Amino acid sequence: MKKTIIGALVGGLIIFFWQAASHVAFNLHEPSQMYTASQDTVLNVLTKHLKNEGGYILPRMENEQDMAQAEEFAKKATGKPWARIQYYTDYQISMQDNMIRGLVVDIFLVLLVIYLIKQFKTAKMRDILGLCLVLAILVFTNSPYTQHIWYPVFDLRAELIDLLVSWGLCGLWLGWYLPRRVE
């Protein structure tokens, strides 16, 4: 059990530190969180017109429209600017809490991967690395890429890089560590 915990702790830290480097040192996600000097004006307008927290798509037709109305709406909106807004009424971000939660999730995910690795009859470096990379591709195609199909995101490439690099590094760690220390 000790070896599993060490494997998960180190693997979780590898993923966590890559995520931090990706956002802070390499700034790969900048295209999805850009600054505007007009932020106060934009926030004032949003606060005036949006009363509820939630996600908004602009423009968007009202609910309960029939197909003819939907087609007409699509014709009018095509080629014009649009936006996705995640609106919150109260800025409450705790970097410390979020980082702790992120690290705990990363460690938990590596524990799940170690469980899968232990199902192998023999665990070799290439099999463990391959499993981690396959998981990275599964997560990418199921979440960021599928979201991008519907609502294009500006950091899709960064999401792919994050998953492949972090899980690739974790796979190298687990591929080196686990086969030598079979429980």
Side-chain angles (χ1 to χ4, degrees):
M1 185 60 131
K2 178 181 169 188
K3 293 167 186 145
T4 297
I5 292 171
I6 291 171
L9 285 173
V10 173
L13 285 167
I14 289 169
I15 292 169
F16 178 80
F17 284 124
W18 170 261
Q19 291 168 339
S22 168
H23 282 84
V24 179
F26 303 126
N27 205 18
L28 296 179
H29 296 270
E30 175 65 19
S32 71
Q33 51 194 13
M34 294 190 295
Y35 168 81
T36 175
S38 303
Q39 65 188 8
D40 292 336
T41 302
V42 171
L43 281 171
N44 286 334
V45 169
L46 290 176
T47 300
K48 180 179 176 185
H49 295 282
L50 303 178
K51 300 303 177 205
N52 299 318
E53 287 190 339
Y56 293 85
I57 297 175
L58 308 175
R60 182 183 186 278
M61 59 184 216
E62 293 183 47
N63 293 334
E64 315 296 328
Q65 302 296 310
D66 63 32
M67 192 55 109
Q69 290 169 311
E71 289 175 6
E72 183 63 28
F73 173 83
K75 284 180 187 175
K76 288 181 181 178
T78 299
K80 294 181 180 174
W82 69 284
R84 284 182 63 206
I85 300 167
Q86 300 300 315
Y87 180 71
Y88 306 90
T89 58
D90 187 18
Y91 187 90
Q92 295 289 332
I93 295 176
S94 167
M95 288 301 286
Q96 179 180 342
D97 290 348
N98 291 345
M99 291 175 73
I100 290 168
R101 287 176 31 206
L103 178 58
V104 169
V105 168
D106 292 339
I107 292 167
F108 176 72
L109 290 173
V110 177
L111 272 172
L112 293 177
V113 170
I114 291 172
Y115 168 79
L116 292 175
I117 291 167
K118 287 185 174 188
Q119 305 312 303
F120 294 168
K121 288 183 180 182
T122 58
K124 297 178 184 169
M125 166 70 85
R126 74 166 188 259
D127 298 326
I128 294 170
L129 177 59
L131 172 66
C132 288
L133 292 174
V134 165
L135 289 171
I137 292 168
L138 285 171
V139 169
F140 173 77
T141 55
N142 184 59
S143 187
Y145 184 72
T146 303
Q147 177 185 356
H148 179 74
I149 290 170
W150 288 96
Y151 305 110
V153 294
F154 297 100
D155 63 342
L156 185 66
R157 187 171 293 138
E159 294 284 354
L160 179 60
I161 291 167
D162 283 353
L163 287 163
L164 289 176
V165 171
S166 65
W167 281 101
L169 292 171
C170 183
L172 289 172
W173 154 248
L174 294 175
W176 173 83
Y177 182 73
L178 290 179
R180 293 171 172 71
R181 292 158 182 86
V182 177
E183 293 186 36

mmCIF file of all heavy atoms in Angstrom, residues 32-77:
data_model
loop_
_atom_site.group_PDB
_atom_site.id
_atom_site.type_symbol
_atom_site.label_atom_id
_atom_site.label_comp_id
_atom_site.label_asym_id
_atom_site.label_seq_id
_atom_site.Cartn_x
_atom_site.Cartn_y
_atom_site.Cartn_z
ATOM 1 N N SER A 32 -7.706 31.937 -23.828
ATOM 2 C CA SER A 32 -9.050 31.740 -23.284
ATOM 3 C C SER A 32 -9.313 32.593 -22.052
ATOM 4 O O SER A 32 -10.381 32.489 -21.443
ATOM 5 C CB SER A 32 -9.267 30.264 -22.935
ATOM 6 O OG SER A 32 -8.494 29.910 -21.813
ATOM 7 N N GLN A 33 -8.358 33.444 -21.685
ATOM 8 C CA GLN A 33 -8.552 34.285 -20.499
ATOM 9 C C GLN A 33 -7.840 35.619 -20.665
ATOM 10 O O GLN A 33 -7.094 36.059 -19.803
ATOM 11 C CB GLN A 33 -8.068 33.547 -19.247
ATOM 12 C CG GLN A 33 -6.686 32.984 -19.365
ATOM 13 C CD GLN A 33 -6.363 31.987 -18.269
ATOM 14 O OE1 GLN A 33 -7.233 31.524 -17.541
ATOM 15 N NE2 GLN A 33 -5.093 31.655 -18.129
ATOM 16 N N MET A 34 -8.102 36.251 -21.796
ATOM 17 C CA MET A 34 -7.408 37.489 -22.132
ATOM 18 C C MET A 34 -7.923 38.681 -21.320
ATOM 19 O O MET A 34 -9.038 38.683 -20.815
ATOM 20 C CB MET A 34 -7.538 37.772 -23.624
ATOM 21 C CG MET A 34 -6.819 36.737 -24.471
ATOM 22 S SD MET A 34 -6.708 37.171 -26.210
ATOM 23 C CE MET A 34 -8.394 37.176 -26.722
ATOM 24 N N TYR A 35 -7.086 39.680 -21.235
ATOM 25 C CA TYR A 35 -7.378 40.935 -20.545
ATOM 26 C C TYR A 35 -7.988 41.926 -21.537
ATOM 27 O O TYR A 35 -7.624 41.963 -22.707
ATOM 28 C CB TYR A 35 -6.084 41.523 -19.977
ATOM 29 C CG TYR A 35 -6.222 42.949 -19.493
ATOM 30 C CD1 TYR A 35 -6.765 43.216 -18.245
ATOM 31 C CD2 TYR A 35 -5.832 44.013 -20.294
ATOM 32 C CE1 TYR A 35 -6.915 44.524 -17.803
ATOM 33 C CE2 TYR A 35 -5.968 45.314 -19.863
ATOM 34 C CZ TYR A 35 -6.518 45.563 -18.616
ATOM 35 O OH TYR A 35 -6.665 46.853 -18.179
ATOM 36 N N THR A 36 -8.910 42.728 -21.053
ATOM 37 C CA THR A 36 -9.385 43.874 -21.817
ATOM 38 C C THR A 36 -9.384 45.093 -20.901
ATOM 39 O O THR A 36 -9.811 45.005 -19.744
ATOM 40 C CB THR A 36 -10.802 43.662 -22.409
ATOM 41 O OG1 THR A 36 -11.213 44.884 -23.038
ATOM 42 C CG2 THR A 36 -11.814 43.258 -21.368
ATOM 43 N N ALA A 37 -8.913 46.195 -21.428
ATOM 44 C CA ALA A 37 -8.898 47.436 -20.657
ATOM 45 C C ALA A 37 -10.322 47.931 -20.379
ATOM 46 O O ALA A 37 -10.534 48.756 -19.502
ATOM 47 C CB ALA A 37 -8.108 48.509 -21.402
ATOM 48 N N SER A 38 -11.283 47.393 -21.103
ATOM 49 C CA SER A 38 -12.688 47.783 -20.923
ATOM 50 C C SER A 38 -13.414 46.891 -19.925
ATOM 51 O O SER A 38 -14.639 46.890 -19.876
ATOM 52 C CB SER A 38 -13.407 47.709 -22.272
ATOM 53 O OG SER A 38 -12.762 48.515 -23.225
ATOM 54 N N GLN A 39 -12.676 46.155 -19.113
ATOM 55 C CA GLN A 39 -13.330 45.176 -18.242
ATOM 56 C C GLN A 39 -14.349 45.794 -17.287
ATOM 57 O O GLN A 39 -15.408 45.211 -17.052
ATOM 58 C CB GLN A 39 -12.299 44.348 -17.483
ATOM 59 C CG GLN A 39 -11.445 45.110 -16.511
ATOM 60 C CD GLN A 39 -10.331 44.241 -15.944
ATOM 61 O OE1 GLN A 39 -10.091 43.121 -16.374
ATOM 62 N NE2 GLN A 39 -9.651 44.769 -14.942
ATOM 63 N N ASP A 40 -14.055 46.944 -16.745
ATOM 64 C CA ASP A 40 -15.007 47.563 -15.818
ATOM 65 C C ASP A 40 -16.312 47.932 -16.531
ATOM 66 O O ASP A 40 -17.404 47.701 -16.011
ATOM 67 C CB ASP A 40 -14.399 48.789 -15.145
ATOM 68 C CG ASP A 40 -13.274 48.430 -14.194
ATOM 69 O OD1 ASP A 40 -13.256 47.273 -13.694
ATOM 70 O OD2 ASP A 40 -12.410 49.291 -13.938
ATOM 71 N N THR A 41 -16.192 48.466 -17.715
ATOM 72 C CA THR A 41 -17.382 48.834 -18.498
ATOM 73 C C THR A 41 -18.189 47.598 -18.850
ATOM 74 O O THR A 41 -19.415 47.577 -18.694
ATOM 75 C CB THR A 41 -16.961 49.579 -19.786
ATOM 76 O OG1 THR A 41 -16.199 50.727 -19.423
ATOM 77 C CG2 THR A 41 -18.169 49.975 -20.611
ATOM 78 N N VAL A 42 -17.508 46.554 -19.320
ATOM 79 C CA VAL A 42 -18.194 45.320 -19.691
ATOM 80 C C VAL A 42 -18.889 44.721 -18.470
ATOM 81 O O VAL A 42 -20.055 44.316 -18.533
ATOM 82 C CB VAL A 42 -17.203 44.305 -20.326
ATOM 83 C CG1 VAL A 42 -17.857 42.948 -20.510
ATOM 84 C CG2 VAL A 42 -16.671 44.841 -21.649
ATOM 85 N N LEU A 43 -18.191 44.658 -17.333
ATOM 86 C CA LEU A 43 -18.794 44.103 -16.120
ATOM 87 C C LEU A 43 -19.987 44.924 -15.647
ATOM 88 O O LEU A 43 -20.990 44.368 -15.184
ATOM 89 C CB LEU A 43 -17.755 43.983 -15.007
ATOM 90 C CG LEU A 43 -16.824 42.789 -15.116
ATOM 91 C CD1 LEU A 43 -15.703 42.880 -14.091
ATOM 92 C CD2 LEU A 43 -17.591 41.492 -14.966
ATOM 93 N N ASN A 44 -19.903 46.248 -15.766
ATOM 94 C CA ASN A 44 -21.042 47.091 -15.374
ATOM 95 C C ASN A 44 -22.265 46.809 -16.241
ATOM 96 O O ASN A 44 -23.387 46.729 -15.740
ATOM 97 C CB ASN A 44 -20.673 48.572 -15.431
ATOM 98 C CG ASN A 44 -19.771 48.983 -14.286
ATOM 99 O OD1 ASN A 44 -19.782 48.363 -13.217
ATOM 100 N ND2 ASN A 44 -18.962 50.001 -14.508
ATOM 101 N N VAL A 45 -22.034 46.643 -17.548
ATOM 102 C CA VAL A 45 -23.150 46.337 -18.449
ATOM 103 C C VAL A 45 -23.728 44.960 -18.131
ATOM 104 O O VAL A 45 -24.944 44.786 -18.054
ATOM 105 C CB VAL A 45 -22.703 46.434 -19.930
ATOM 106 C CG1 VAL A 45 -23.764 45.872 -20.864
ATOM 107 C CG2 VAL A 45 -22.375 47.874 -20.295
ATOM 108 N N LEU A 46 -22.855 43.984 -17.918
ATOM 109 C CA LEU A 46 -23.331 42.637 -17.579
ATOM 110 C C LEU A 46 -24.118 42.650 -16.272
ATOM 111 O O LEU A 46 -25.183 42.046 -16.167
ATOM 112 C CB LEU A 46 -22.165 41.656 -17.483
ATOM 113 C CG LEU A 46 -21.474 41.299 -18.795
ATOM 114 C CD1 LEU A 46 -20.267 40.401 -18.533
ATOM 115 C CD2 LEU A 46 -22.440 40.636 -19.761
ATOM 116 N N THR A 47 -23.603 43.340 -15.274
ATOM 117 C CA THR A 47 -24.273 43.404 -13.974
ATOM 118 C C THR A 47 -25.656 44.053 -14.101
ATOM 119 O O THR A 47 -26.603 43.637 -13.444
ATOM 120 C CB THR A 47 -23.406 44.169 -12.961
ATOM 121 O OG1 THR A 47 -22.158 43.479 -12.837
ATOM 122 C CG2 THR A 47 -24.064 44.264 -11.607
ATOM 123 N N LYS A 48 -25.759 45.032 -14.957
ATOM 124 C CA LYS A 48 -27.037 45.714 -15.165
ATOM 125 C C LYS A 48 -28.057 44.797 -15.840
ATOM 126 O O LYS A 48 -29.246 44.854 -15.534
ATOM 127 C CB LYS A 48 -26.816 46.969 -16.013
ATOM 128 C CG LYS A 48 -28.062 47.756 -16.307
ATOM 129 C CD LYS A 48 -27.741 48.993 -17.125
ATOM 130 C CE LYS A 48 -29.018 49.730 -17.490
ATOM 131 N NZ LYS A 48 -28.754 50.859 -18.374
ATOM 132 N N HIS A 49 -27.578 43.938 -16.771
ATOM 133 C CA HIS A 49 -28.505 43.156 -17.598
ATOM 134 C C HIS A 49 -28.632 41.684 -17.207
ATOM 135 O O HIS A 49 -29.582 41.027 -17.629
ATOM 136 C CB HIS A 49 -28.106 43.265 -19.069
ATOM 137 C CG HIS A 49 -28.239 44.653 -19.596
ATOM 138 N ND1 HIS A 49 -29.450 45.209 -19.953
ATOM 139 C CD2 HIS A 49 -27.319 45.625 -19.798
ATOM 140 C CE1 HIS A 49 -29.273 46.451 -20.365
ATOM 141 N NE2 HIS A 49 -27.981 46.732 -20.283
ATOM 142 N N LEU A 50 -27.693 41.167 -16.441
ATOM 143 C CA LEU A 50 -27.759 39.761 -16.036
ATOM 144 C C LEU A 50 -27.964 39.700 -14.533
ATOM 145 O O LEU A 50 -27.125 40.151 -13.769
ATOM 146 C CB LEU A 50 -26.466 39.018 -16.418
ATOM 147 C CG LEU A 50 -26.067 39.041 -17.888
ATOM 148 C CD1 LEU A 50 -24.742 38.317 -18.085
ATOM 149 C CD2 LEU A 50 -27.153 38.437 -18.756
ATOM 150 N N LYS A 51 -29.043 39.134 -14.116
ATOM 151 C CA LYS A 51 -29.351 39.072 -12.679
ATOM 152 C C LYS A 51 -28.956 37.729 -12.068
ATOM 153 O O LYS A 51 -28.743 37.630 -10.878
ATOM 154 C CB LYS A 51 -30.846 39.332 -12.432
ATOM 155 C CG LYS A 51 -31.303 40.685 -12.927
ATOM 156 C CD LYS A 51 -30.504 41.815 -12.303
ATOM 157 C CE LYS A 51 -30.937 43.150 -12.880
ATOM 158 N NZ LYS A 51 -29.916 44.161 -12.796
ATOM 159 N N ASN A 52 -28.908 36.695 -12.871
ATOM 160 C CA ASN A 52 -28.629 35.351 -12.368
ATOM 161 C C ASN A 52 -27.248 34.870 -12.794
ATOM 162 O O ASN A 52 -26.830 35.091 -13.932
ATOM 163 C CB ASN A 52 -29.671 34.357 -12.895
ATOM 164 C CG ASN A 52 -31.066 34.706 -12.456
ATOM 165 O OD1 ASN A 52 -31.280 35.081 -11.305
ATOM 166 N ND2 ASN A 52 -32.016 34.606 -13.363
ATOM 167 N N GLU A 53 -26.569 34.200 -11.872
ATOM 168 C CA GLU A 53 -25.320 33.536 -12.233
ATOM 169 C C GLU A 53 -25.630 32.447 -13.251
ATOM 170 O O GLU A 53 -26.693 31.834 -13.219
ATOM 171 C CB GLU A 53 -24.664 32.893 -11.006
ATOM 172 C CG GLU A 53 -24.060 33.870 -10.062
ATOM 173 C CD GLU A 53 -23.210 33.204 -8.992
ATOM 174 O OE1 GLU A 53 -23.385 32.003 -8.719
ATOM 175 O OE2 GLU A 53 -22.355 33.911 -8.441
ATOM 176 N N GLY A 54 -24.672 32.213 -14.131
ATOM 177 C CA GLY A 54 -24.863 31.137 -15.099
ATOM 178 C C GLY A 54 -24.106 31.405 -16.383
ATOM 179 O O GLY A 54 -23.405 32.401 -16.529
ATOM 180 N N GLY A 55 -24.259 30.497 -17.305
ATOM 181 C CA GLY A 55 -23.638 30.622 -18.613
ATOM 182 C C GLY A 55 -24.633 31.200 -19.607
ATOM 183 O O GLY A 55 -25.804 30.821 -19.634
ATOM 184 N N TYR A 56 -24.146 32.123 -20.399
ATOM 185 C CA TYR A 56 -24.991 32.781 -21.391
ATOM 186 C C TYR A 56 -24.323 32.682 -22.758
ATOM 187 O O TYR A 56 -23.098 32.756 -22.871
ATOM 188 C CB TYR A 56 -25.183 34.265 -21.043
ATOM 189 C CG TYR A 56 -25.971 34.492 -19.781
ATOM 190 C CD1 TYR A 56 -25.348 34.471 -18.539
ATOM 191 C CD2 TYR A 56 -27.345 34.720 -19.836
ATOM 192 C CE1 TYR A 56 -26.075 34.676 -17.377
ATOM 193 C CE2 TYR A 56 -28.077 34.932 -18.675
ATOM 194 C CZ TYR A 56 -27.436 34.904 -17.452
ATOM 195 O OH TYR A 56 -28.149 35.114 -16.311
ATOM 196 N N ILE A 57 -25.151 32.508 -23.772
ATOM 197 C CA ILE A 57 -24.684 32.563 -25.154
ATOM 198 C C ILE A 57 -25.407 33.730 -25.808
ATOM 199 O O ILE A 57 -26.636 33.826 -25.732
ATOM 200 C CB ILE A 57 -24.987 31.250 -25.906
ATOM 201 C CG1 ILE A 57 -24.230 30.098 -25.265
ATOM 202 C CG2 ILE A 57 -24.643 31.385 -27.380
ATOM 203 C CD1 ILE A 57 -24.540 28.739 -25.855
ATOM 204 N N LEU A 58 -24.637 34.610 -26.429
ATOM 205 C CA LEU A 58 -25.199 35.785 -27.089
ATOM 206 C C LEU A 58 -24.779 35.808 -28.555
ATOM 207 O O LEU A 58 -23.607 35.669 -28.834
ATOM 208 C CB LEU A 58 -24.696 37.066 -26.415
ATOM 209 C CG LEU A 58 -24.856 37.161 -24.890
ATOM 210 C CD1 LEU A 58 -24.194 38.425 -24.393
ATOM 211 C CD2 LEU A 58 -26.299 37.105 -24.494
ATOM 212 N N PRO A 59 -25.635 35.953 -29.488
ATOM 213 C CA PRO A 59 -27.079 35.973 -29.336
ATOM 214 C C PRO A 59 -27.621 34.550 -29.176
ATOM 215 O O PRO A 59 -26.979 33.583 -29.551
ATOM 216 C CB PRO A 59 -27.560 36.582 -30.645
ATOM 217 C CG PRO A 59 -26.559 36.132 -31.650
ATOM 218 C CD PRO A 59 -25.244 36.124 -30.892
ATOM 219 N N ARG A 60 -28.802 34.455 -28.613
ATOM 220 C CA ARG A 60 -29.491 33.174 -28.456
ATOM 221 C C ARG A 60 -30.977 33.453 -28.539
ATOM 222 O O ARG A 60 -31.466 34.422 -27.972
ATOM 223 C CB ARG A 60 -29.160 32.543 -27.109
ATOM 224 C CG ARG A 60 -29.808 31.181 -26.903
ATOM 225 C CD ARG A 60 -29.491 30.657 -25.499
ATOM 226 N NE ARG A 60 -29.965 29.319 -25.288
ATOM 227 C CZ ARG A 60 -31.212 28.989 -24.960
ATOM 228 N NH1 ARG A 60 -32.126 29.921 -24.853
ATOM 229 N NH2 ARG A 60 -31.546 27.731 -24.763
ATOM 230 N N MET A 61 -31.682 32.583 -29.229
ATOM 231 C CA MET A 61 -33.131 32.776 -29.313
ATOM 232 C C MET A 61 -33.788 32.295 -28.021
ATOM 233 O O MET A 61 -33.191 31.536 -27.258
ATOM 234 C CB MET A 61 -33.710 32.049 -30.522
ATOM 235 C CG MET A 61 -33.475 30.564 -30.537
ATOM 236 S SD MET A 61 -34.098 29.893 -32.071
ATOM 237 C CE MET A 61 -34.719 28.339 -31.487
ATOM 238 N N GLU A 62 -34.983 32.737 -27.792
ATOM 239 C CA GLU A 62 -35.727 32.326 -26.605
ATOM 240 C C GLU A 62 -36.063 30.843 -26.685
ATOM 241 O O GLU A 62 -36.105 30.266 -27.768
ATOM 242 C CB GLU A 62 -37.027 33.130 -26.496
ATOM 243 C CG GLU A 62 -36.805 34.603 -26.211
ATOM 244 C CD GLU A 62 -38.126 35.330 -26.038
ATOM 245 O OE1 GLU A 62 -38.987 34.826 -25.300
ATOM 246 O OE2 GLU A 62 -38.269 36.386 -26.652
ATOM 247 N N ASN A 63 -36.334 30.262 -25.532
ATOM 248 C CA ASN A 63 -36.764 28.869 -25.500
ATOM 249 C C ASN A 63 -38.116 28.730 -26.191
ATOM 250 O O ASN A 63 -38.847 29.707 -26.370
ATOM 251 C CB ASN A 63 -36.881 28.376 -24.051
ATOM 252 C CG ASN A 63 -35.523 28.312 -23.373
ATOM 253 O OD1 ASN A 63 -34.493 28.166 -24.019
ATOM 254 N ND2 ASN A 63 -35.525 28.437 -22.063
ATOM 255 N N GLU A 64 -38.450 27.501 -26.550
ATOM 256 C CA GLU A 64 -39.778 27.176 -27.094
ATOM 257 C C GLU A 64 -40.027 27.760 -28.478
ATOM 258 O O GLU A 64 -41.169 28.007 -28.838
ATOM 259 C CB GLU A 64 -40.895 27.634 -26.130
ATOM 260 C CG GLU A 64 -40.683 27.318 -24.664
ATOM 261 C CD GLU A 64 -40.635 25.822 -24.356
ATOM 262 O OE1 GLU A 64 -41.314 25.050 -25.033
ATOM 263 O OE2 GLU A 64 -39.878 25.457 -23.436
ATOM 264 N N GLN A 65 -38.998 28.001 -29.261
ATOM 265 C CA GLN A 65 -39.195 28.501 -30.621
ATOM 266 C C GLN A 65 -39.352 27.317 -31.566
ATOM 267 O O GLN A 65 -38.752 26.266 -31.380
ATOM 268 C CB GLN A 65 -38.008 29.360 -31.052
ATOM 269 C CG GLN A 65 -37.740 30.549 -30.144
ATOM 270 C CD GLN A 65 -38.880 31.540 -30.146
ATOM 271 O OE1 GLN A 65 -39.348 31.955 -31.192
ATOM 272 N NE2 GLN A 65 -39.349 31.912 -28.964
ATOM 273 N N ASP A 66 -40.148 27.494 -32.615
ATOM 274 C CA ASP A 66 -40.326 26.392 -33.563
ATOM 275 C C ASP A 66 -39.178 26.386 -34.578
ATOM 276 O O ASP A 66 -38.327 27.275 -34.584
ATOM 277 C CB ASP A 66 -41.694 26.466 -34.243
ATOM 278 C CG ASP A 66 -41.876 27.731 -35.088
ATOM 279 O OD1 ASP A 66 -40.893 28.236 -35.654
ATOM 280 O OD2 ASP A 66 -43.028 28.203 -35.174
ATOM 281 N N MET A 67 -39.179 25.385 -35.440
ATOM 282 C CA MET A 67 -38.073 25.195 -36.386
ATOM 283 C C MET A 67 -37.938 26.376 -37.352
ATOM 284 O O MET A 67 -36.836 26.791 -37.666
ATOM 285 C CB MET A 67 -38.273 23.894 -37.167
ATOM 286 C CG MET A 67 -37.038 23.501 -37.942
ATOM 287 S SD MET A 67 -35.591 23.382 -36.875
ATOM 288 C CE MET A 67 -35.352 21.651 -36.874
ATOM 289 N N ALA A 68 -39.032 26.919 -37.808
ATOM 290 C CA ALA A 68 -38.970 28.060 -38.733
ATOM 291 C C ALA A 68 -38.326 29.264 -38.050
ATOM 292 O O ALA A 68 -37.493 29.955 -38.655
ATOM 293 C CB ALA A 68 -40.372 28.418 -39.233
ATOM 294 N N GLN A 69 -38.679 29.504 -36.799
ATOM 295 C CA GLN A 69 -38.086 30.610 -36.051
ATOM 296 C C GLN A 69 -36.594 30.348 -35.808
ATOM 297 O O GLN A 69 -35.786 31.270 -35.863
ATOM 298 C CB GLN A 69 -38.811 30.801 -34.722
ATOM 299 C CG GLN A 69 -40.217 31.338 -34.874
ATOM 300 C CD GLN A 69 -40.995 31.274 -33.571
ATOM 301 O OE1 GLN A 69 -41.015 30.248 -32.911
ATOM 302 N NE2 GLN A 69 -41.651 32.385 -33.226
ATOM 303 N N ALA A 70 -36.226 29.103 -35.551
ATOM 304 C CA ALA A 70 -34.821 28.751 -35.337
ATOM 305 C C ALA A 70 -34.010 28.982 -36.605
ATOM 306 O O ALA A 70 -32.889 29.505 -36.554
ATOM 307 C CB ALA A 70 -34.704 27.298 -34.885
ATOM 308 N N GLU A 71 -34.574 28.617 -37.751
ATOM 309 C CA GLU A 71 -33.869 28.833 -39.021
ATOM 310 C C GLU A 71 -33.708 30.324 -39.315
ATOM 311 O O GLU A 71 -32.658 30.752 -39.772
ATOM 312 C CB GLU A 71 -34.610 28.122 -40.147
ATOM 313 C CG GLU A 71 -34.480 26.614 -40.078
ATOM 314 C CD GLU A 71 -35.328 25.897 -41.123
ATOM 315 O OE1 GLU A 71 -35.948 26.569 -41.984
ATOM 316 O OE2 GLU A 71 -35.371 24.651 -41.068
ATOM 317 N N GLU A 72 -34.736 31.090 -39.056
ATOM 318 C CA GLU A 72 -34.670 32.539 -39.264
ATOM 319 C C GLU A 72 -33.625 33.165 -38.339
ATOM 320 O O GLU A 72 -32.844 34.026 -38.750
ATOM 321 C CB GLU A 72 -36.050 33.178 -39.032
ATOM 322 C CG GLU A 72 -36.083 34.666 -39.292
ATOM 323 C CD GLU A 72 -35.774 35.036 -40.733
ATOM 324 O OE1 GLU A 72 -36.038 34.232 -41.649
ATOM 325 O OE2 GLU A 72 -35.248 36.139 -40.954
ATOM 326 N N PHE A 73 -33.623 32.738 -37.082
ATOM 327 C CA PHE A 73 -32.633 33.230 -36.123
ATOM 328 C C PHE A 73 -31.218 32.911 -36.615
ATOM 329 O O PHE A 73 -30.340 33.769 -36.590
ATOM 330 C CB PHE A 73 -32.866 32.596 -34.748
ATOM 331 C CG PHE A 73 -31.781 32.922 -33.766
ATOM 332 C CD1 PHE A 73 -31.795 34.116 -33.065
ATOM 333 C CD2 PHE A 73 -30.724 32.053 -33.558
ATOM 334 C CE1 PHE A 73 -30.788 34.440 -32.179
ATOM 335 C CE2 PHE A 73 -29.703 32.353 -32.670
ATOM 336 C CZ PHE A 73 -29.740 33.548 -31.976
ATOM 337 N N ALA A 74 -30.997 31.686 -37.050
ATOM 338 C CA ALA A 74 -29.672 31.271 -37.523
ATOM 339 C C ALA A 74 -29.224 32.108 -38.712
ATOM 340 O O ALA A 74 -28.055 32.500 -38.803
ATOM 341 C CB ALA A 74 -29.673 29.784 -37.875
ATOM 342 N N LYS A 75 -30.129 32.409 -39.632
ATOM 343 C CA LYS A 75 -29.785 33.239 -40.794
ATOM 344 C C LYS A 75 -29.346 34.637 -40.361
ATOM 345 O O LYS A 75 -28.376 35.177 -40.865
ATOM 346 C CB LYS A 75 -30.975 33.348 -41.750
ATOM 347 C CG LYS A 75 -31.221 32.118 -42.579
ATOM 348 C CD LYS A 75 -32.423 32.324 -43.486
ATOM 349 C CE LYS A 75 -32.792 31.037 -44.194
ATOM 350 N NZ LYS A 75 -34.030 31.183 -44.987
ATOM 351 N N LYS A 76 -30.086 35.222 -39.423
ATOM 352 C CA LYS A 76 -29.764 36.570 -38.958
ATOM 353 C C LYS A 76 -28.445 36.611 -38.185
ATOM 354 O O LYS A 76 -27.712 37.583 -38.244
ATOM 355 C CB LYS A 76 -30.885 37.120 -38.067
ATOM 356 C CG LYS A 76 -32.140 37.486 -38.805
ATOM 357 C CD LYS A 76 -33.182 38.033 -37.846
ATOM 358 C CE LYS A 76 -34.464 38.385 -38.556
ATOM 359 N NZ LYS A 76 -35.478 38.866 -37.609
ATOM 360 N N ALA A 77 -28.148 35.557 -37.440
ATOM 361 C CA ALA A 77 -26.953 35.552 -36.583
ATOM 362 C C ALA A 77 -25.685 35.146 -37.318
ATOM 363 O O ALA A 77 -24.585 35.553 -36.922
ATOM 364 C CB ALA A 77 -27.173 34.610 -35.400
#
